[in-house]
Structures are given as C-alpha cells and as structure tokens.
Amino acid sequence: MKKLVFLFLIVLMVIPAGISLAQDKTEVRVWIAFSDYRLDWTKERAAEFNELYPDYEVIIEGFESYNIAFTETALAAEQGNPPAVTHFFEAATQEALDAVGPNGEPLFKSVAEAIGDRTEINGVPVVLDDVVSAAADYYTANGEFYSMPWNTSSTIMFSNMNILEAAGVEAIPETWGELEAACEKIMALEDGPDNCMTWPNHSWWLEQTLAQQGADLSNNGNGREGRSTEVFMNSPEAIAYAQWWKDMNDKGYYIYTGVVRDWGGTQNAFESQQVAFLQFSSSDATLIPANVQDVFPAVVSRMPYNEAAGYHGNIIGGATLWLNNGLNEETETGALMFLNWFSNPKNAAEWHQLTGYIPITNTAYNNLVEAGWFEEVPGAAVANMQLDLIPTTGALIGNFVAIRDTFTDAMEEILINGMDVEAALNEANEKANELLEEYNLLYAPE
Amino acid sequence: MTFYSNMLPVFIVTVVAGALYIASIFQRFKRPVIYGVGIGAVAGLVGPMIFMAPLDSCTFETGREPIDYWFGIVLFVLGAALLLGAARWVARFWLSGRAIASLVEDQTTMGVYKASPLIPVLLLLPTIIILTFFLYYPLIDTFRLSTLLVKLGAPRTVFRCVTNFTDFFEPGGFDYTALALVLGLVIAFLAYQPLKEAGGSELRAVFIYVSAIVIAFMLLNRIIEPDYREVLFNTFFIASAIVILGLIFGLAIAYLAYQPVRGAFIYRTLLIWPYAISPAIAGIIFFVMFDPVSGVINHIIELLGGEGLDWIRDPWMARAAIIITSVWKTLGYNILFYIAGLQTVPGDLLEAAEIDGANAWQRFRNIIVPALSPITFFLIVTNLTYAFFNIFGTIDFLTKGGPAGATSVSIYEIVELGIRHKDLGRAAAQSIVLFLMVIGVTVFQFRTSGRRVTYGA
C-alpha cells in the first residue's frame, strides 16, 4: 500500500515536468468561429501542421459565432492573454481595424506588414500574394492587406431543373425580369410548387444588389477613400431592390420563411421542392446539389441582377483570420507559418471541395482546373467566375452588424406588415446613420 | 457633485416635504417636533444625491432634452423618498422604544450562535465574497454602464447622462385622457384597502387590481416609445401565457398521471422528459416542425385536408409558437412538482368530502387545488423566471425575435444589443428596467397570491 502511495506521488511529480516539457513548444492559439464539420477540418489541419513543425503547437478552439469569438478575443486581450489568431467576418472589418487593446494599441496587426518581404517563413512558402483579387481587394484597407482570407463566398442561385423543365423555362434566369417571367410560368403549373423562390432576409442581399447596380452603401467611396460617415440605405437602388422584392412577395412568387437571416429554413424549402429557385451563399455550392442529387438536378448559377441598372459586379462574403497585435516573436512566427500553410494550394483546394467556399488562391484554383474538378462539379466554379466578372469591393462601415439589422428589420416591416417601401427604408436609414454616428464618436480619431 | 441653479426649487420641495413628513411622525409619538424637522430636512437634502452625485446632476445641465430634465426630477424625488423612508423606519423604531428584533415582524425564533458573533460572519464570508464579485459588482457596474455610450474594444466611452433610459419614452403630449387615467389609477389604489376592510368581496378587490393594471398599461402606452412598447407587451404577454397555460396543463396532466393505472411509472418518466432538453434545442426542434414552408406540422395539416398555417410568418402565430414551445419545455418540470404535491394531499379529507357527496370536480376545486397552493406559488415564481430569462435560447433558434419584432421579449433585446451589436450602454439600461420589472412582479406576487398560500392542511 505504501509503495502504491509512493508511486502515486512520483507520478504526481512527473506530470508537471511533462507539462513543462510540452511547453517548450511555442503555443499558437487560433480561435475559430465555427462549431461544425468546418471546425473538425480545421482541427485536422492543425494536427497535421503540428506534426510537420514540431517546434509549434497550434491549438484550435471553436466558438459558436463570429461575434462571440471577437468578444472573447477583446476580453482575453484585456486580461493580457489574447490568442494568436482570431477568425472574424467581413462585415465587421472596420470594427476589427478600429479595435484597440487595453494599452490603446490596435488589437490586430496587418498580416502583410508582419510578413514583410519574406517569401517563406521557416520553410513555409508565403501565399498571401497569391490570394484571389476579389478577397485581397476587400480586405485591403488604407492600402494595407490586413487579414488572411479564408472562407470566402458570394451569393449564387440554385435552380430545380425538374420544375424549370416542366414549366418550359429554357434558360436559367440571369436578371430580375427573366426570373419574374420564369416564375410566372412556374406558378402556372398545375402540380407545381406553391411558391417560386426564396432567399434569406439578410442584409448581404442588399449589399450585393447595390454592388450589382453600381451604387455605394456609404460615403467616401464605400468607406474605401476615407472613413464612412454616412449610410445610404434609402438610395434609389436600394428602394428599387426592396420594391422588387416586395412585388415578388405580393405576387406569391417569393416566400418569406418568417425569420431573419434564415439559412436553414430557406435551404429546407428548396430541398423539399417547395420552391424552384433558391438564392444562397456559395458556401454550400457543392453541398446542396449533393443533398438532392437523388431527387432532382440542382444547377448553380449567378445571382440575378437588375437589367435596368446594368451589371457592375458582385462582392464577397465570409471571414478572414486576423493576427493579434503584441504577440511575442516566436508566437507571431508560428502564427504566420500556420496562416500561410493553412491556405497552401493543397489545403485551399481541399477546403473548397469540402464546402463550396471559393479556392482562395490562384494556384489552388488553377490546380483544380487542371485536375478537371470544375468539369466534374460545374456549380463549384460559379462564385469564382462571378467575382472575376467585374472587380468591386464592398463597403467598410463601422457598427455594420447593427446597421445591417436595420435593413433586415425594415424588410420584415415591408414583407410582414405591408409597410411602404420608401417609408421603411427612410426609417432604417435614419437609425443606421445614428448608429454610425455613435460608432464614429467612439472610434474615429479625434 | 455640480450644483445648477435650476435644482434649487426641487431641493426646497424635498427639504420642506422631508421636514414636514418626519416632523409629523415625531408629533404622533409626542416628541419634540423640531428634531423631526431637522432629521427630515437633512434626509430631504441628502437623499437626492443618491442619484444626482453619480450622475453629477447632468440632467439639470442646460442643453439637455426636457425629457431628461423630468426624468432627473423623478430620480431626484425618488432619492429623497428612499432616504426619507429609511429615516421614517429608524425614527419609528427609535421613538417607540422597541427592540430591533421586533422590527423583523415575525414569530419565528432566530437561531443564536453561542460561541462568538464572529463565527456566523466567518461562515458567511465565502458566500459573500462570491456574491460580491459575481453579483453585486456586475450589478453596480451595470448602473455605471447604463449612463454611457460604450462598446467593447472601443478606445473611448462617451457619457450620455440618462439618455439610454429616456430613449424608452416618447410622450404623446399632455392630454386629458392621460390625466383621467392617472386619477383613475390613484383612486383604484386608494379604494382597494377600505373596500376590503369594509367586507367587500374578494372579487371586487380583484376587479380593482385588474382595472388598476389596465389603467397603468394604457397610461404607459401613451408615454413609451413604440418599439420598446412592443418589447414590453411581448415580454408580459408571452410570460403570462407561458405561466398560465403551463400551470393549467401541468396540473391537468399530473392529475391524470397520478391516477393509479398500469405502468404509471413509465408515463410519469416520459412526461418529465422535455424538462431535460435545453431551451435552445427545443427551439431547433420546433423550428423544424413549425417551418411554414417545409415543416412537418403544416404537412400533417395538409395531409388531413386542412390549409397549412402561417406559423412563425404571422406575428400572432409566431408568438403562439414561442408559447407552445415554452409550455412544452416547462411542462415536465411542472408535472414533476405537481405529482409530488398530489402525493401530499390528505387522503382523509378527500374521503370525507366524498362521503359528504362532493363530486370529482368539487373535490378537485375545493380540496386539491388549495392543498397544492404552496407548489403553485413556487411554480409561478420559477415559471416566471423561465419566461423572463431562460426563454432566450428558444426565441433565438425559433423566430430570432421576429417577424417584425413580434416575439422580441426584453431578454432577447438585451442579448441582441449587448452581444450582437456590442452596445453595452443600451443593453445595461434595458437590463435595469427588466430587473425592476421582475422585482415588481415578484413583490406583487408575494403580496397577492402569497397571502392565499396555505401550508397546513
């Protein structure tokens, strides 16, 4: 018995020694705002990286949303223990740029600046210069490429080809007018669906349609030439879009699922053949056609645009990996190694094939073309192609998460309570500008 | 604390009122009135500073909105009232010459530590430390945050005085209906006690309470900002529906499950099951079922030949969906407690009633329901807590507060503002309002149904 106790004590003493041995590795904590199979994939990659570069220990932690990952980062920084990398979404880019830590220094550091003119870091080739231009342009602010793009998507449309064929719709609609005409035919079907199309009530659609119509969402060139100080949520282009949306809803062509930012409900509506068209994120460009392949052929195409305004390009959505400021040199090196390795051609291609997010580097894209992937899965190429048509960048606006919500709220007032489009958008615009003014009071340099 | 000249008249009012008030108490106890005047005047002078000192009297600053000024007056008077209330309490105890123990008005004897008075303090210390860090400090910080424009990660904050609170109000201007409503409210409250003492029936008291609530509601309707009004309405409507329906169904099912039938044990276990599911999971399950486009409930209705309903697309149906989900979710908990409660209903009473010829409904109404009153009272409080706070997960996964804000209750608004929009100031102000509302409802509860609870047979 005594021996056992002795042994136990020895084990107790050895464990901390083992832990301290493990600590000789440089820890690189990476906070990811996913909690599903995408987090699992990231963890697998981290394990692979740790095996390849045994001096570093990348530790992945999942969070349920971008906002929570960001809040936790800010709090951790306040306690002096921030992670090395935080995953944050495109709409909050301005907020990430403006965020400061407890010492008043910026919370994040430009990845391009941290890499400098290195082409490889400890044997890991730098891929930042290879990032596709749509993503690189979006995340470049004040002439500086700030964060490492990762999951990047655009809006696309899925069509149920069985229904289109039955209704005699020959070509997949590319404009609002063509879509309306197709819906007229589909609604005339005797055993057709109750409604023709759906998409989530998400402000991303407003931002996409403004880009398509060539209108800015905020002043100073969408906040690209200087800080946004005014939002144009009631611009003629915004009104045109909301009005068209309302008309489609009133005719019964569009069906609203009743919940804001409803990805699940709209996807279910399409997959259960309750609608013929679904506008969605390209993040599921491979997943949705695969889900329904035994029931009906689903074809991916570009997001329809307003033919009256011409076509001026679409924007990206998604998120990037931000490098925290004030890391020690070893941790920063490890973080940069991981960021570049994580989006190397092989990983970037695999990530695209798994999810439908665009291949984030040109090399990854070319390799996929050569391997014949896009012939095998034609829908997978749509988002890349759409983003390459006409390069545009989305708006950089402070307090954008709250400002976006004013649009979705207005859209609900229009669709559910039948509020007048112009009145609803004027009200939303007023609230949005108040929110922006408050933001700039707190963040803009004095 | 800054002093502005427009504060002088209000100070005069509180000082004079305080002096008169405390003096009247001294007079009743036939003590020198001058002391009462002195104490009351000091309380009337210092009391307002409870709120004005932390705010640095900002509501009296020139350039503030009129609504801020009036809100400041209310806070000012409230501070004076709080201190005067305390002064009155101390004065009455002091003047009547009673022991402190007699102030704690109840018959139960308190335990006494014989060893040292330090021991109880030491034993309480761990709890007090935890409460201080995790409850009292955040509570006080909430008050501080509620006066600021503040965002997590922002380089600075901006002092907003009471704007975060006055944003809740949007007076429709003075009109006589409002005045009539206020008078009605005052009369209803004043009439309640005399009527009850004069032997007025219980029903009349209930009628007066209900009309007072209705009048208060209509009055609030006039002065509260429309968006926030909807939040308040949703909060109270959804919470009351959950509590009332949840208790009725809980008791009914518990009563059935309590009957001696074969396999009762299995039924009871299965009935309690939903309680083990988290509010968020309940939200997801019902989201899939209620989905108006591809949900299973509409599919079944259509299979049966009916027309699919506009679940979660229609504001009232969305509220119904939230209520149904939450009632289902809390049902297991209510059943559990009611089954336990039913086991304590004295069998001899039921037997005696049966011999006297009481039918099943009369036995249920006159014996079982009163015998369960402590359980019901407990369940009302816990269900209300659920409906006010824990409902967040269900709403977030089922309706996201929509459509068009129809299911946005107070706690959902607070989390949306504080976490999604990172607007800590407004979220703090709303949580203070929710805090006061919950305290109000609980006090109301204890004063009304709490009295009717019987713990003995």
Side-chain angles (χ1 to χ4, degrees):
Chain A
M1 188 65 202
K2 262 185 190 169
K3 268 184 190 166
L4 263 180
V5 173
F6 186 66
L7 201 72
F8 181 68
L9 284 176
I10 290 200
V11 169
L12 270 187
M13 283 157 73
V14 167
I15 287 174
I19 290 172
S20 73
L21 264 180
Q23 276 172 346
D24 284 351
K25 290 184 169 191
T26 303
E27 266 188 21
V28 178
R29 290 182 302 142
V30 177
W31 288 4
I32 301 294
F34 286 140
S35 50
D36 52 8
Y37 69 100
R38 295 173 291 190
L39 177 67
D40 297 337
W41 185 84
T42 311
K43 282 184 170 166
E44 283 163 26
R45 293 294 77 71
E48 207 176 298
F49 177 87
N50 291 341
E51 229 166 79
L52 284 170
Y53 303 95
D55 290 347
Y56 296 93
E57 171 89 23
V58 172
I59 302 165
I60 306 284
E61 204 175 318
F63 292 85
E64 59 185 288
S65 74
Y66 293 120
N67 275 310
I68 290 175
F70 183 76
T71 305
E72 293 288 327
T73 304
L75 291 174
E78 219 157 85
Q79 289 156 12
N81 189 24
V85 172
T86 306
H87 183 208
F88 205 34
F89 65 142
E90 93 288 19
T93 302
Q94 184 70 53
E95 223 150 305
L97 289 172
D98 289 337
V100 294
N103 51 4
E105 290 292 307
L107 194 56
F108 299 110
K109 185 174 184 177
S110 150
V111 176
E113 187 197 311
I115 292 174
D117 44 17
R118 287 181 279 184
T119 53
E120 55 117 26
I121 303 164
N122 282 355
V124 178
V126 168
V127 297
L128 193 69
D129 310 332
D130 195 24
V131 168
V132 295
S133 62
D137 292 348
Y138 189 98
Y139 295 108
T140 299
N142 317 324
E144 187 90 56
F145 195 171
Y146 250 86
S147 50
M148 181 74 201
W150 178 29
N151 54 317
T152 304
S153 56
S154 191
T155 37
I156 50 165
M157 186 166 80
F158 296 96
S159 302
N160 182 328
M161 295 314 282
N162 282 358
I163 300 180
L164 263 64
E165 208 167 291
V169 178
E170 269 150 27
I172 291 178
E174 289 196 346
T175 63
W176 295 359
E178 288 173 27
L179 192 56
E180 196 176 341
C183 279
E184 209 178 328
K185 287 185 183 166
I186 288 166
M187 295 299 284
L189 282 175
E190 265 180 26
D191 53 351
D194 286 343
N195 305 95
C196 176
M197 57 184 168
T198 192
W199 58 86
N201 175 13
H202 192 300
S203 165
W204 197 28
W205 266 260
L206 172 75
E207 293 144 36
Q208 293 286 2
T209 192
L210 290 182
Q212 285 184 336
Q213 299 181 68
D216 282 354
L217 182 54
S218 66
N219 66 348
N220 289 333
N222 260 347
R224 296 282 172 179
E225 288 146 26
R227 187 177 285 275
S228 296
T229 54
E230 201 186 343
V231 186
F232 312 124
M233 206 166 274
N234 55 354
S235 65
E237 290 82 1
I239 291 173
Y241 184 61
Q243 186 64 49
W244 176 72
W245 189 342
K246 179 186 159 56
D247 291 345
M248 294 300 102
N249 182 66
D250 292 352
K251 282 187 173 177
Y253 294 179
Y254 173 85
I255 174 96
Y256 183 45
T257 56
V259 183
V260 291
R261 303 183 298 277
D262 185 8
W263 300 99
T266 47
Q267 182 180 346
N268 289 344
F270 180 73
E271 291 186 354
S272 61
Q273 307 205 60
Q274 304 290 326
V275 291
F277 299 107
L278 168 70
Q279 291 183 30
F280 213 68
S281 164
S282 69
S283 62
D284 291 56
T286 37
L287 207 67
I288 289 179
N291 283 350
V292 298
Q293 61 184 356
D294 298 334
V295 194
F296 62 89
V299 169
V300 182
S301 62
R302 287 164 53 195
M303 177 186 171
Y305 62 93
N306 180 4
E307 65 274 24
Y311 181 74
H312 302 269
N314 275 86
I315 54 167
I316 61 152
T320 50
L321 298 167
W322 290 80
L323 180 69
N324 275 274
N325 204 356
L327 302 171
N328 65 42
E329 208 185 316
E330 263 311 288
T331 314
E332 190 177 296
T333 307
L336 290 174
M337 283 166 68
F338 180 69
L339 288 178
N340 283 291
W341 178 85
F342 189 57
S343 285
N344 70 21
K346 180 177 163 288
N347 286 336
E350 197 180 313
W351 173 245
H352 160 75
Q353 286 172 309
L354 178 75
T355 59
Y357 288 113
I358 64 168
I360 198 64
T361 60
N362 293 315
T363 313
Y365 181 78
N366 294 336
N367 289 352
L368 284 164
V369 171
E370 268 169 38
W373 162 256
F374 296 115
E375 280 152 37
E376 202 179 311
V377 189
V382 173
N384 266 66
M385 189 231 11
Q386 174 172 286
L387 290 170
D388 279 347
L389 286 174
I390 300 175
T392 53
T393 51
L396 286 183
I397 302 174
N399 222 351
F400 201 21
V401 179
I403 287 174
R404 286 178 133 192
D405 284 358
T406 65
F407 175 74
T408 46
D409 290 351
M411 228 34 244
E412 279 211 322
E413 289 293 343
I414 293 168
L415 298 175
I416 298 283
N417 293 339
M419 195 168 169
D420 175 64
V421 170
E422 220 173 313
L425 289 185
N426 284 342
E427 205 176 280
N429 191 53
E430 200 176 306
K431 267 188 217 161
N433 278 301
E434 256 171 52
L435 288 165
L436 181 59
E437 196 182 319
E438 281 174 9
Y439 178 90
N440 287 340
L441 263 181
L442 294 186
Y443 286 89
E446 281 162 308
Chain B
M1 188 181 108
T2 322
F3 182 85
Y4 297 99
S5 58
N6 55 354
M7 291 166 78
L8 191 64
V10 210
F11 261 124
I12 292 174
V13 170
T14 54
V15 166
V16 170
L20 288 175
Y21 181 57
I22 303 293
S24 74
I25 292 170
F26 273 68
Q27 195 184 22
R28 205 180 322 146
F29 284 95
K30 302 199 170 52
R31 298 295 171 94
V33 171
I34 186 72
Y35 291 132
V37 171
I39 293 171
V42 171
L45 187 71
V46 177
M49 296 180 193
I50 296 174
F51 294 109
M52 285 303 122
L55 286 173
D56 199 23
S57 317
C58 65
T59 61
F60 292 93
E61 246 170 38
T62 42
R64 292 274 171 206
E65 301 280 321
I67 182 90
D68 292 358
Y69 174 76
W70 289 109
F71 191 79
I73 300 263
V74 171
L75 284 182
F76 193 99
V77 173
L78 188 67
L82 282 176
L83 202 62
L84 280 171
R88 176 196 147 204
W89 195 67
V90 173
R92 284 179 59 170
F93 138 71
W94 179 44
L95 296 175
S96 62
R98 281 187 295 170
I100 292 188
S102 67
L103 283 173
V104 188
E105 36 124 11
D106 71 49
Q107 315 83 341
T108 46
T109 46
M110 282 192 264
V112 175
Y113 277 89
K114 284 188 176 163
S116 148
L118 264 182
I119 298 224
V121 176
L122 271 178
L123 291 174
L124 281 175
L125 206 58
T127 316
I128 289 175
I129 290 173
I130 289 174
L131 286 178
T132 308
F133 275 100
F134 292 103
L135 216 66
Y136 302 139
Y137 166 67
L139 180 72
I140 290 171
D141 209 42
T142 305
F143 279 92
R144 185 183 66 87
L145 288 173
S146 72
T147 61
L148 300 174
L149 177 62
V150 50
K151 279 178 157 262
L152 194 64
R156 51 183 175 269
T157 58
V158 174
F159 182 65
R160 279 175 45 108
C161 196
V162 291
T163 314
N164 286 337
F165 292 95
T166 48
D167 275 353
F168 297 141
F169 298 103
E170 193 181 288
F174 181 82
D175 70 324
Y176 289 95
T177 346
L179 186 69
L181 289 173
V182 178
L183 284 177
L185 183 73
V186 171
I187 290 167
F189 269 112
L190 290 181
Y192 174 70
Q193 204 54 37
L195 258 179
K196 223 179 135 196
E197 275 162 17
S201 71
E202 192 105 314
L203 202 66
R204 206 177 300 172
V206 169
F207 170 75
I208 288 172
Y209 255 122
V210 169
S211 50
I213 291 170
V214 170
I215 290 169
F217 183 74
M218 287 167 69
L219 179 68
L220 289 176
N221 217 2
R222 296 211 143 264
I223 57 168
I224 289 187
E225 191 268 333
D227 283 349
Y228 193 60
R229 193 160 61 203
E230 189 170 13
V231 172
L232 286 184
F233 170 77
N234 290 335
T235 309
F236 280 98
F237 176 76
I238 291 177
S240 359
I242 291 172
V243 173
I244 293 168
L245 295 177
L247 290 188
I248 291 175
F249 280 111
L251 180 54
I253 295 173
Y255 192 61
L256 291 178
Y258 182 64
Q259 304 304 322
V261 286
R262 194 194 292 255
F265 171 73
I266 295 171
Y267 294 131
R268 286 180 207 169
T269 314
L270 288 177
L271 282 170
I272 292 160
W273 221 327
Y275 176 57
I277 292 172
S278 88
I281 303 294
I284 294 175
I285 294 173
F286 279 81
F287 174 77
V288 176
M289 285 168 45
F290 281 127
D291 189 325
V293 189
S294 58
V296 69
I297 292 184
N298 272 359
H299 183 66
I300 291 172
I301 294 177
E302 276 159 22
L303 277 186
L304 297 175
E307 184 90 355
L309 294 169
D310 244 356
W311 297 108
I312 72 178
R313 290 189 55 199
D314 174 82
W316 284 101
M317 296 299 279
R319 290 186 185 116
I322 295 289
I323 292 166
I324 292 171
T325 310
S326 305
V327 167
W328 176 81
K329 169 76 191 73
T330 50
L331 208 52
Y333 185 79
N334 295 343
I335 291 172
L336 186 70
F337 276 89
Y338 271 134
I339 287 180
L342 283 168
Q343 285 165 356
T344 65
V345 176
D348 45 354
L349 267 183
L350 286 172
E351 222 169 279
E354 201 172 352
I355 292 166
D356 286 344
N359 64 28
W361 168 250
Q362 285 170 327
R363 291 199 300 274
F364 181 75
R365 169 71 190 83
N366 295 318
I367 297 175
I368 293 178
V369 172
L372 288 175
S373 62
I375 301 274
T376 306
F377 183 58
F378 166 76
L379 285 178
I380 288 177
V381 175
T382 50
N383 276 263
L384 263 183
T385 315
Y386 179 88
F388 272 127
F389 297 107
N390 296 2
I391 200 172
F392 172 80
T394 307
I395 293 179
D396 195 37
F397 282 97
L398 187 51
T399 62
K400 289 215 165 45
T407 55
S408 189
V409 300
S410 205
I411 189 72
Y412 189 76
E413 278 287 308
I414 291 169
V415 178
E416 281 283 290
L417 278 174
I419 306 291
R420 243 181 92 72
H421 298 173
K422 302 192 187 70
D423 192 344
L424 296 180
R426 285 204 182 87
Q430 284 216 16
S431 29
I432 288 172
V433 175
L434 179 63
F435 170 72
L436 294 178
M437 287 192 312
V438 172
I439 287 186
V441 170
T442 313
V443 168
F444 182 75
Q445 258 295 302
F446 270 89
R447 301 199 61 163
T448 53
S449 35
R451 281 193 195 136
R452 244 168 282 141
V453 170
T454 50
Y455 289 93

